[in-house]
Structures are given as structure tokens and as C-alpha cells.
Amino acid sequence: MYTILDIETTGGKYNEEGITEIAIHKFDGHKVVDKFISLVNPEKDIQPFVVKLTGINNKMLQTAPKFHEVAKRIVEITEDTVLVAHNAQFDYRILRTEFRRLGYNFERKTLCTVELSKRLIPEAESHSLGKLVRSLGIAVSDRHRANGDALATLKLFKVLLSKDLDKTILKSVIRKETEGELSDRQLDIVDALPSETGVYYMHDKDGEILFLGKSSNIKKRVNQHFTKSGGRSRQLQKATKKVSFEKTGNELVAMLKENEELKRNRPKYNQRLKPIIFSHGVYVEKNEAGYLTLKIKKTTERNGAFTTFNSHAGAANFIYKLTRDYQLCDKLNGISEAQKNCSNYDTGECLGACIKKEAVETYNQRVNDAVQKYSLNHKNVVIIDKGREIGEYSAVLIKNGDFKGFGYYDLNHQINNIHILESIIAPMQGNENTAHIIENYIRKKRGLKIIELSDK
């Protein structure tokens, strides 16, 4: 559990500043579950440059509560959480100083989004809050006011969590938070999980990931882990002290995250990764008459295939679908086993008109149209799908046929501008397996929105 914090102060000498405004958003890693926002009477004057910067003046704070009047609420909302702030050292120091004046020792774990963004977005020109969120296309209002900056930090933190593919943030937090044995609380763990699509992580007492997987129903899948029999399953159940998760909003992002994070984390209880996760490819070949034909071949690499499959049967069903959707010839594509012409030729119902020489160019264009729809080769596109919450969308970036990563957005200009789009994307390494995952999803998901990239 996190509390996103921002504080405005009077300015002045070190450790003599007073709080003028505070905003805290309690964030469970997925949504805000509580918040506290208040002006605070610092019982001292505000420095003129601070008034100009924040717009908060002495008159506004005359009737505001004093710090001792809001201290209990701050303790309650931040209890058992990790404080997250942009330049956390400053905000945490100010809070601790105010509590020390009351005779109370305020201690919390902290995360600094300046340090995290330097590690996870090293290419950013500036890591100041305003410039950084603008470079990510994040909409911000009320800059230099506590709630405006806290909301900006929250949105930035969501991007950082998405980019943290090695799970360094998650591991460090769990290592700090986890205490004691959780084996008696497995039911509570399952109850706290969502029945939604995403990736889940089973951790040991040190926060290390023992097992990670994807599911369209995280709660149901983790429950199966806890009830499964067998020696290895019981070892995993005993070693698991906490289960965390990330909602992805759709299965494509869940599959891509699982594929990437298995390579990076290599959890002890996951099966060994296969170098190649497909077994067959569909290839386009020209026959002696000049017609393009679709051929299935067993393969251990993409090697010219325009799309790949897990089985021969899957590839055959796909070709059958293309012959119907694009009026292609059963005989040319191996659907019909007739020795000469396909069964529809003699009746004049041959969809491909494949024997007539003048039909070659038109027929081949239909084959190319089919290939273009279902292949990623040489494409520059963004695949749009559901996000993690209402109003949010996921964007999977493909450049020159290669998968580059994914991110989430809620404003159209974030994907219409290639530079902003690339800044919100969690970068990943595309390969034959990611191409297989994406193409397989495109084939199965009707109505999926795919837009061509703009260089603007």
C-alpha cells in the first residue's frame, strides 16, 4: 500500500519551514482508496516568493486547521504504507519535523519518484515533476498546489510501476513490509485479489518472486495454486508469503508482460522458458502458373513465415478461413485434395478463378490483402485495447514489424504524437515469440482497433 504525498511550505530557513497545504492519496497499486487534502495554518508568515509560486497567502490560512489538528488523520492514512513523493527526502523531512515538534516520532518507508524516474526513464531531458509529466503527455492542473502535484505524482508513479519490468519497486516494498508467516492467511490473500485480467506474482518472505503467471481471472487462478496437490505445488504454497498483482485490462498485455517478465525474473517455480513457443508457420509461395499459394510448414523459427501457429491444425483452420473470407482457391491452398481442379471449378463456382490466366493479378492481390491483415511484417502500427479502468486504454507499439513495448493512456494526443507515445511505453525487446503472441491475438480478437503510426 502506498500514500502519494505532496506538501507546500512557507519557505524559510532549513528545518524552520511550516506546512501550508498537504495532499495525501492512499493508493493500493491499482486505485486510490482514501485521500486527505487540507490547507494548514503554519502559525508563521509565508515567504513572498512562495506566495507568488503557489498562490497561497497568509489570509487564506487564518481559519485553516493547525498541524496538531490534522496530525492524527495523517498518521491514520499513512499507517502501514510506503510514502511516495517527488523528492521524497524533502516532504518526509518536513513531516517528521512537524511531528517532532509535537513530541511524536513519525517513521514511514519512502519511495522517491525522482530517483525512480532517473532509473526507469533515463532518457528524459529533465526529471523535475512539471517537465517530466509533460514529456509523458500527462495532463496536470494546479501545479505548485499540493493536490495538483500529488495527482501528477500519482499518474507518474503509475507509469513507473508499468515500466518497472524487473519489479525492483515491488520487491523492495514487499521486503520492507512482509513480516511473519502467511500460510494461515491464504484465504485472505485470495479474497483480496480481483477477478480480473492481469499478471500475478507469488512472493517469498524476502519479496522475491517465486512464480508469476497471467490470467483472465486472477482470484480464481491463485486459488487453484493454493489448492493444487503435488509435491512442487505444496512447496510453492508453503514458500508463498504474499501475492501481488497488476491488472492489465486485456489479455494481450497480460501475455506480453508474462513473456517479458519470465525472461527477466526467471522465478524458481515457473517452468523453463521455451526458446520458441510456436511449431508451424504459414508461408506464401508462387506456383508455376504465377499464383500465390499458402503453405503450412513445421518450423523452429519464423524464417519468412507471415504468421505462426502452435499446431498444424490451427494453421489449416486459418487457411480455410482465409479461403472463405478472401475468395481464395481451395485447391491452390491445399484445402481440396482433388488431383486436378477443385470441386467448385466444374460447376463454375470456384472462388479463386485460379485457372484463368487473366485472373492471376487480381487473385494475388486478394492473397496479399489477407497476408497484410494478419501479419506484423514491416508494419508501423499501434494496437489499441481496453485499459485497467474506465476511460483508460492500452497501446501496444509495433515499429517496422517489431514489438517495442506497451503503455496506457487516457488522452488521444498521447498516441497521436509519436514522441509522447514512445515516452509512455514500457520498452520491451521484440522477438519471434512476441510476434507470435500478438498475431495470434489479432486473429482471435474481432473489432480490435489498429491504427497506423504518425511521424508527427
Side-chain angles (χ1 to χ4, degrees), residues 105-343:
N105 184 29
F106 181 82
E107 290 187 352
R108 298 289 186 268
K109 304 296 182 183
T110 63
L111 283 175
C112 179
T113 50
V114 175
E115 295 175 6
L116 292 173
S117 61
K118 285 180 178 178
R119 186 191 312 162
L120 297 169
I121 317 177
E123 69 279 7
E125 291 184 7
S126 170
H127 293 93
S128 69
L129 183 61
K131 291 181 180 179
L132 184 58
V133 295
R134 278 197 296 274
S135 73
L136 296 172
I138 295 172
V140 182
S141 59
D142 292 331
R143 276 288 283 123
H144 302 298
R145 289 296 298 268
N147 194 46
D149 286 355
L151 287 172
T153 304
L154 173 60
K155 291 177 181 179
L156 171 62
F157 188 53
K158 287 181 178 180
V159 172
L160 294 172
L161 285 173
S162 177
K163 285 179 172 284
D164 183 27
L165 300 174
D166 291 323
K167 295 293 170 257
T168 52
I169 298 174
L170 192 61
K171 290 176 184 177
S172 66
V173 169
I174 290 172
R175 190 175 297 117
K176 294 170 184 175
E177 288 183 340
T178 304
E179 294 179 6
E181 298 290 320
L182 299 184
S183 57
D184 294 335
R185 296 173 54 197
Q186 288 181 347
L187 187 57
D188 292 335
I189 291 175
V190 172
D191 285 343
L193 299 174
S195 300
E196 297 181 45
T197 302
V199 180
Y200 59 91
Y201 311 87
M202 304 178 77
H203 303 268
D204 66 13
K205 60 183 176 60
D206 295 320
E208 291 299 315
I209 299 172
L210 298 170
F211 184 95
L212 72 84
K214 60 158 178 63
S215 178
S216 58
N217 187 327
I218 294 172
K219 182 192 290 284
K220 182 178 179 181
R221 186 69 187 97
V222 173
N223 186 67
Q224 290 171 343
H225 281 295
F226 283 147
T227 56
K228 195 174 181 180
S229 59
R232 191 169 177 80
S233 295
R234 283 193 291 270
Q235 290 174 11
L236 175 60
Q237 292 160 16
K238 185 176 180 180
T240 299
K241 306 306 176 189
K242 182 167 183 174
V243 178
S244 63
F245 64 92
E246 286 189 31
K247 291 190 285 186
T248 59
N250 62 78
E251 291 182 84
L252 176 58
V253 173
M255 288 187 287
L256 292 170
K257 275 185 69 66
E258 179 193 44
N259 180 70
E260 178 75 14
E261 293 179 358
L262 281 173
K263 288 188 298 182
R264 289 174 176 262
N265 294 282
R266 299 189 178 277
K268 178 180 178 181
Y269 287 90
N270 280 94
Q271 289 185 351
R272 195 172 183 178
L273 273 175
K274 294 180 180 178
I276 296 296
I277 60 176
F278 54 85
S279 59
H280 291 75
V282 176
Y283 297 78
V284 179
E285 297 180 354
K286 187 175 286 188
N287 70 4
E288 293 178 355
Y291 288 97
L292 295 179
T293 65
L294 303 177
K295 301 293 184 184
I296 303 170
K297 297 180 182 179
K298 194 167 185 177
T299 183
T300 56
E301 57 182 350
R302 199 167 178 90
N303 194 25
F306 83 84
T307 192
T308 51
F309 292 84
N310 296 326
S311 67
H312 185 282
N317 288 336
F318 174 67
I319 291 178
Y320 181 82
K321 180 180 185 303
L322 292 188
T323 62
R324 297 302 176 263
D325 291 348
Y326 288 87
Q327 294 185 306
L328 306 181
C329 177
D330 285 359
K331 172 65 178 172
L332 283 178
N333 295 303
I335 301 298
S336 169
E337 297 181 357
Q339 291 184 358
K340 292 185 177 180
N341 301 323
C342 68
S343 58

Side-chain angles (χ1 to χ4, degrees), residues 250 252-253 381-387 392-397 407 409 412 414-416 421 441 445 447-452:
N250 62 78
L252 176 58
V253 173
V381 296
V382 182
I383 302 170
I384 306 300
D385 210 335
K386 292 188 299 183
E392 182 183 72
Y393 301 90
S394 69
V396 173
L397 177 61
Y409 72 96
N412 284 334
Q414 291 176 283
I415 58 164
N416 292 333
L421 173 61
Y441 189 77
K445 184 82 170 180
L448 194 63
K449 186 176 181 181
I450 302 176
I451 60 178
E452 292 187 7

Side-chain angles (χ1 to χ4, degrees), residues 425-453:
I425 291 295
M428 294 183 181
Q429 186 68 45
N431 55 36
E432 293 179 327
N433 287 340
T434 55
H436 171 74
I437 290 169
I438 296 169
E439 288 175 351
N440 188 53
Y441 189 77
I442 291 173
R443 290 195 296 266
K444 293 178 179 178
K445 184 82 170 180
R446 293 184 179 181
L448 194 63
K449 186 176 181 181
I450 302 176
I451 60 178
E452 292 187 7
L453 281 175

